[in-house]
Structure formats: C-alpha cells, structure tokens
Amino acid sequence: MSVSREEVQKIAELSKLQFSENELEKFTKDLSNIVDFADKLAKLDVEGVKPTAHILDIQNVFKEDNVKPSYKREEILKNAPSAQGGCISVPKVVE
Amino acid sequence: MKDYEVIIGLEVHAELSTNTKIYCNCTTEFGADPNTHCCPICTGMPGTLPVLNKKVVEYAVKMGLATNCKIANFSKQDRKNYYYPDLPKAYQISQYDLPLCENGHIDIEVDGKKKTIGITRIHIEEDAGKLIHDAYTGDTLVDMNRCSVPLIEIVSEPDMRSAKEAVEYMQALKSILEYLDICDCKMQEGSLRCDVNLSVRPVGQKEFGTRTETKNLNSFKAIQNSIEFEIKRQIEVLENGGTIYQETRRFDDAKGEGYAMRTKEEANDYRYFPEPDLAPIVLSDEYINSIKESLPELPNVKKERYLKEYNLSLYDANILTMSIKTANYFENVVKKCNNPKMVANWIMGDFARLLNENDISIDESKISEENLANLIDLIDKGTISSKIAKTVFEEMFNTGKEAKQIVEEKGLVQISDEGAIKEIVEKVVENNPQSIIDYKAGRDRALGFLVGQVMKESKGKANPGLVNKLLLEILNK
Ligand SMILES: [Zn+2]
C-alpha cells in the first residue's frame, strides 16, 4: 500500500473527520489506488518541462475594484444550522 | 547566568485599503453589522469562482518596490488548508512557493545606529472572519464580514536582536504603508498586526535555539511587552535546565503575560497546493517599472531632504517624517510662513500633546495649515509673545478660530510700546524695594523675579526683550 493507515488517520484528524475501523481500511485501500494511479506521472520524463501552475493556458484574470451590493444577511445565514445575533453559531472554540 | 542573544523575526499582516474584497465585489468597510458584507464567494459556497482584484496586485507590488524586493514576473496562488470556524472554505487562498515579492530590505535606526533588516518575502492572501464568544450561551459566533479582505503578509529575516529593534522595524513598515496609502494602519482595528518569531541562544553558539511564535499582536506596546516577556521566559526555562518547545503562543496585554495555545502541533500541517480556480499572475517589466515610477517620496528620502532643505535636526526630521499626514501638514505650513524650525517645534510640542490628549490625528484637528502659519507669522512679527501664543494655540485647537481673531477678541496683542512698559516697570520696582537691594547685593535671581512681576502685571503681554532692557536700565542707574 502506498498510503499507510496512519497517514489516513492523520488526514482524517486534520479534516476533523472520524472513521470506523472498516472505513479506515476502505479509505486506505482507495487512497492507495488513487496515489498509485497518479504515480504513473512520476515515471514520465519531464526534463525541460515547466511546472504547471494552472491546467489551462490562461494568465492575469482580474476584476476591477468596484463595490457591488452584498447579499442580504438572511440569505447568507440561510444554510447555517444555527444562527443568533446575525451570526452563525458554532460550538465553543477553544484556543 | 550566561549571556544570551535574542533572535527575532516578524510576520506582519497589513489589510489593504482597496474598496472591495480580494476575490468578490463586497465592500471592505470596517464596522458594519455582522454578515452584511458577504456573498457566496467570500463565504465559500460550493460552485463559486473567485477572481483576483487587480488593485491587490498593484498594492502588493508597490510595497515590494518600496522595500527593495525583487518583483516576480511569474507568480501564483495556493490553498493553505486548515479547519477553523473563521475560515468558511476550510482553506485560505495565499501564496506558497511563488510569492509576488522576494529578497527585500529596509533600514531602521536604533539608538542613532542604522541597521538593515532583510525582508524574505511579501505575498498576497485573504483575511479570515471574526469569532465572537457569546458569554451567555457559551457558543462561538461567526461574523464573516472580514472574510476575504485582502492582506499582504510581510515576512522578515530573523535579523532583529531586541524588542526595540522589532518596534522600530514595525514603525518603519507602518510609515511606508501610510506613505504608499495602501493600508489604513489602524492597529486597534486589526488592519495592521504581527506575529513574533523568537528564540534565544547563549552568546557564541552557532545554531539557533528553538523558536516560538506569538500571534496577533496589534499595538506597539503589545509587541514590546510580549517580546520582553518571551525573552525572559525562554532564558529562565533554559537556565533551569528546561527545554523550549516549538509552539504557538498568545499574549494577554492586560495581564502582561504570554501563554501557549491549546491547538495541537499537528494542526500546522497546511498541505498547500496550487489554487486551481485562479490564473497565474504574469507581470511585465514595463508594468513593474510603471509602478516604480508612481511611488511617492518615501520616509527615508524625505528625512534626508528635511535635514538638507530645512536644516532640521535628525531627531526633528525623524519625528516629522514618521507619518505622512504630519509630514504633509508640516510642509504645507512651511510653504506659507517659511519658518521650518518654529513650525517643527509647534507640531512636535503643544500640537502633538493636544492631539494625543484628544486621540485624533493631525488632519482631524480644527487648526488648518493656514491658521498655524498665521499664528507663527504673528509671533515672528512680534505681535504676540511666544508665551501668549501658547494660549492662543489652545484656543485655536479647541474652537478652530483664526489666530488673529482670538488675539483681537482677547486683547492679547504684545505691548511693545516702551513708554507703556516703562510705566509698569517703575511701578513694580517701587513695590519691591527688597528685590532692588538683593539685586544690588549681586543676587541675580532678583532680576528674574522682577521680570516675572512685570509680565504678571501686564498679563503676559509685555514684550519680554523690552522688559529686560528697561529693568536693567533702572536697576543699574
Ligand atoms: Zn463577497
């Protein structure tokens, strides 16, 4: 396996996700397959090829600095599971 | 105890004063009701597409050029991944390996000595939202108005060796940002803040010690105090045989204490990768040069000019050029009254004190440049004494009235009529026979006392030069 169970566990923690033993097993296998597939690229000769910064051949896509109306607050809070005082309410954050 | 050397590097975050956010057209205005400056893009809704604000690139390049950086012809943006409720996308768009500006430096002055501080890089990124703790429910509330307000992060080399140097460096950056007019630098509102990386090592040791990072300091006092606290703490730990851990810390300015954050070390794995939604930034030399040509006179250059053109002391030039507002005000007053030294004294003396007491900046004061110039003319011409001028100045500061009007209304014109002064002098001499005896006995203090009495009698309006002259004439008769 090119991805270890420990790596999957760490990624899960960083992503604030919890997996059962079975899920851990499954994701380790799936992620390994994905990495193996992508690893084919590592076997190519890329001598003299510039690193890709973007998959499309575009550059300098800018917007002007002009203010447009924002959304109504009700719209912004519509998808929040919980809101109070015009804010999204989340479980207490400890630093 | 061993002697220790302190190594400090700063990461300074400056919010850019663009009209709109970095990837959408929401306003960046400060202080609105929570979540009223938001749209699907800056709140990270799926399926939205960010587009980079052109002004952000321009401002960052300006700062890069003003700090002697090399500007990248090719630059890109990357995703910095972490989960925190103030970051709706769960990643911050920043720059990783190809920042806009690299390898710069600025000069600072500490105790009269010049020192160069290296700037590793300046990159563009988006700010996070604000978390408010609700004491009543115990929940955390999220206000996303600040999400995606544009920032530049200015990363220094570990070149500073004391709290004083760090504060001077921060002050120098603030001056430059204000001169360029790209950040409002309101530290209490968080638009300019910094993280301090600090380590200590015994003098003579080659390797750096383990460093800690104290986050989010938003006043010069907090920077100074947190650094002094952390230096003391690290040395104490080492002296007691302990170990410094690489950790992220906070500083409680009210308590004057730093503490380690409870976040796990693991959280520092940001798994950067190129931002696929944004195109690379390609800047031509022509573009970079045109920005270079548009730069204003910067603080160090202005300071040199003040020394030469106005013949000011280094101290005066330093203070006057620190803020662009003060410098502009100073130059405009000098243009009108042509007495640089006196203008400098007023701005750095009574004016600075009153501005400080009222917590306003010079451009918010009621005294127009023209009014201050007129006041100085009145002193130059001898119409009022410098002592009276102080009273007039306070009145001008409080009411915004013109100097001349105040002088007329209050009858403060200086008495320069010899006859009138002589009358008062004679009266004072007559009423203070003991002082005459003291003076003749060689006690010089008696003269000062008599001058004081005459000034008092004239309500401060007598021309002090004439008072002195006439008194001496009578006393030495
Ligand atoms: Zn928006």
Side-chain angles (χ1 to χ4, degrees):
Chain A
M1 295 270 188
S2 50
V3 176
S4 72
R5 200 185 158 89
E6 288 69 40
E7 280 174 301
V8 177
Q9 203 141 27
K10 192 185 170 197
I11 295 164
E13 261 170 54
L14 289 169
S15 312
K16 306 274 187 267
L17 295 172
Q18 252 173 350
F19 293 143
S20 68
E21 287 300 308
N22 285 343
E23 282 170 324
L24 263 182
E25 197 112 329
K26 183 179 176 337
F27 282 125
T28 306
K29 223 172 98 191
D30 286 354
L31 286 174
S32 288
N33 282 337
I34 294 168
V35 170
D36 287 343
F37 176 72
D39 253 357
K40 287 182 187 166
L41 292 172
K43 296 185 184 84
L44 294 176
D45 181 12
V46 288
E47 187 73 32
V49 178
K50 269 203 292 181
T52 306
H54 198 275
I55 52 159
L56 301 176
D57 190 19
I58 53 169
Q59 60 187 44
N60 294 348
V61 180
F62 298 127
K63 72 170 183 84
E64 296 300 322
D65 188 29
N66 300 325
V67 176
K68 287 185 189 153
S70 296
Y71 272 47
K72 281 209 168 68
R73 184 155 71 188
E74 303 88 83
E75 286 293 310
I76 292 298
L77 297 179
K78 206 161 68 178
N79 297 316
S82 168
Q84 53 171 304
C87 292
I88 295 170
S89 175
V90 298
K92 186 176 175 181
V93 173
V94 185
E95 273 184 349
Chain B
M1 199 180 94
K2 288 182 214 140
D3 271 339
Y4 287 88
E5 186 185 24
V6 180
I7 315 284
I8 301 169
L10 255 53
E11 290 167 22
V12 175
H13 287 94
E15 272 182 5
L16 298 176
S17 49
T18 51
N19 299 324
T20 61
K21 293 186 178 182
I22 184 166
Y23 303 118
C24 64
N25 291 307
C26 292
T27 174
T28 55
E29 207 181 272
F30 180 81
D33 282 344
N35 297 306
T36 55
H37 292 172
C38 305
C39 73
I41 295 174
C42 56
T43 55
M45 290 296 157
T48 54
L49 198 62
V51 183
L52 179 58
N53 186 340
K54 208 182 202 169
K55 267 261 145 54
V56 170
V57 177
E58 183 191 320
Y59 283 8
V61 170
K62 274 189 175 169
M63 191 57 183
L65 291 169
T67 53
N68 309 295
C69 286
K70 167 92 184 73
I71 309 300
N73 292 112
F74 186 91
S75 180
K76 72 171 168 66
Q77 295 168 86
D78 302 272
R79 289 187 184 179
K80 177 180 179 179
N81 301 280
Y82 65 94
Y83 278 78
Y84 208 66
D86 64 5
L87 193 69
K89 292 196 294 289
Y91 57 83
Q92 177 193 31
I93 304 178
S94 180
Q95 295 194 283
Y96 184 54
D97 56 335
L98 297 173
L100 268 177
C101 322
E102 274 183 297
N103 293 327
H105 59 86
I106 60 166
D107 289 339
I108 60 166
E109 220 175 82
V110 177
D111 300 326
K113 263 190 243 150
K114 201 153 105 175
K115 180 167 179 173
T116 301
I117 308 293
I119 288 173
T120 318
R121 56 185 278 159
I122 301 175
H123 65 251
I124 55 173
E125 61 184 25
E126 55 180 336
D127 210 344
K130 204 172 98 188
L131 298 183
I132 308 151
H133 180 65
D134 185 353
Y136 183 65
T137 58
D139 290 341
T140 296
L141 304 179
V142 189
D143 173 6
M144 298 184 289
N145 281 348
R146 207 180 57 185
C147 285
S148 290
V149 165
L151 291 175
I152 47 173
E153 179 174 335
I154 307 157
V155 183
S156 85
E157 290 289 305
D159 285 346
M160 286 154 272
R161 295 291 174 269
S162 67
K164 214 170 177 180
E165 287 185 9
V167 167
E168 279 304 319
Y169 168 76
M170 187 70 173
Q171 179 62 63
L173 286 185
K174 180 170 182 268
S175 293
I176 296 171
L177 288 164
E178 285 174 344
Y179 271 60
L180 296 174
D181 198 18
I182 59 172
C183 171
D184 70 18
C185 294
K186 288 182 181 159
M187 295 181 81
Q188 70 285 359
E189 290 178 7
S191 49
L192 181 65
R193 51 193 199 258
C194 84
D195 306 338
V196 173
N197 289 303
L198 189 150
S199 66
V200 301
R201 65 178 169 196
V203 169
Q205 180 182 308
K206 275 223 173 88
E207 320 80 66
F208 287 127
T210 305
R211 69 184 161 88
T212 61
E213 180 179 18
T214 303
K215 280 211 165 287
N216 253 326
L217 300 161
N218 63 356
S219 75
F220 287 108
K221 202 177 118 255
I223 296 170
Q224 170 104 23
N225 292 345
S226 71
I227 289 176
E228 279 165 4
F229 176 91
E230 186 59 10
I231 292 172
K232 198 163 159 262
R233 186 190 72 86
Q234 289 194 12
I235 291 176
E236 267 171 26
V237 168
L238 293 176
E239 283 292 306
N240 292 322
T243 313
I244 306 291
Y245 297 101
Q246 189 172 342
E247 63 192 4
T248 308
R249 302 176 60 85
R250 290 258 190 221
F251 185 73
D252 183 333
D253 207 19
K255 283 192 195 147
E257 279 172 22
Y259 57 93
M261 281 167 71
R262 278 192 258 180
T263 348
K264 278 186 230 150
E265 196 49 47
E266 219 173 23
N268 272 333
D269 186 349
Y270 293 129
R271 295 153 296 147
Y272 282 94
F273 64 86
E275 167 57 80
D277 288 343
L278 289 161
I281 304 160
V282 178
L283 303 179
S284 66
D285 289 339
E286 291 78 53
Y287 173 81
I288 297 166
N289 284 334
S290 75
I291 302 252
K292 196 171 197 168
E293 275 158 28
S294 78
L295 292 184
E297 182 183 42
L298 290 165
N300 276 337
V301 179
K302 200 182 268 296
K303 192 168 80 187
E304 292 300 319
R305 181 164 67 80
Y306 279 21
L307 295 177
K308 280 197 209 107
E309 196 174 320
Y310 301 128
N311 244 321
L312 296 175
S313 69
L314 183 60
Y315 177 81
D316 290 1
N318 264 332
I319 293 194
L320 290 171
T321 55
M322 200 182 279
S323 136
I324 185 67
K325 287 177 182 169
T326 311
N328 283 342
Y329 193 99
F330 168 78
E331 287 180 33
N332 287 332
V333 179
V334 170
K335 255 181 232 156
K336 293 182 168 82
C337 74
N338 201 24
N339 189 339
K341 183 62 198 160
M342 203 190 277
V343 179
N345 287 345
W346 277 104
I347 290 180
M348 291 160 49
D350 287 37
F351 207 173
R353 175 179 57 81
L354 288 169
L355 290 172
N356 218 340
E357 281 170 15
N358 289 273
D359 199 20
I360 54 172
S361 63
I362 200 158
D363 59 330
E364 293 167 323
S365 107
K366 288 181 184 153
I367 303 184
S368 68
E369 290 150 354
E370 183 138 28
N371 269 354
L372 182 57
N374 288 341
L375 175 72
I376 288 166
D377 274 343
L378 290 179
I379 305 166
D380 272 343
K381 282 192 214 130
T383 311
I384 55 172
S385 67
S386 24
K387 196 166 170 245
I388 291 286
K390 281 181 179 280
T391 318
V392 176
F393 185 83
E394 288 234 19
E395 180 82 12
M396 286 164 68
F397 187 89
N398 291 327
T399 63
K401 278 189 196 165
E402 274 191 50
K404 225 178 195 157
Q405 191 190 348
I406 297 167
V407 169
E408 277 162 15
E409 276 175 12
K410 303 208 160 180
L412 297 172
V413 175
Q414 178 161 268
I415 307 170
S416 294
D417 170 23
E418 277 204 32
I421 295 178
K422 199 166 182 185
E423 238 171 71
I424 305 173
V425 168
E426 279 167 348
K427 191 174 147 203
V428 166
V429 167
E430 213 177 288
N431 292 340
N432 293 284
Q434 186 58 44
S435 294
I436 315 297
I437 297 167
D438 288 349
Y439 176 78
K440 303 244 170 189
R443 288 184 202 123
D444 284 346
R445 258 194 314 173
L447 179 64
F449 172 76
L450 290 167
V451 170
Q453 290 303 304
V454 175
M455 291 311 289
K456 198 172 154 195
E457 192 70 27
S458 74
K459 299 195 175 65
K461 289 188 283 183
N463 180 323
L466 281 176
V467 172
N468 247 316
K469 181 182 144 230
L470 293 170
L471 251 177
L472 286 173
E473 272 175 26
I474 292 178
L475 291 171
N476 293 335
K477 236 194 293 194

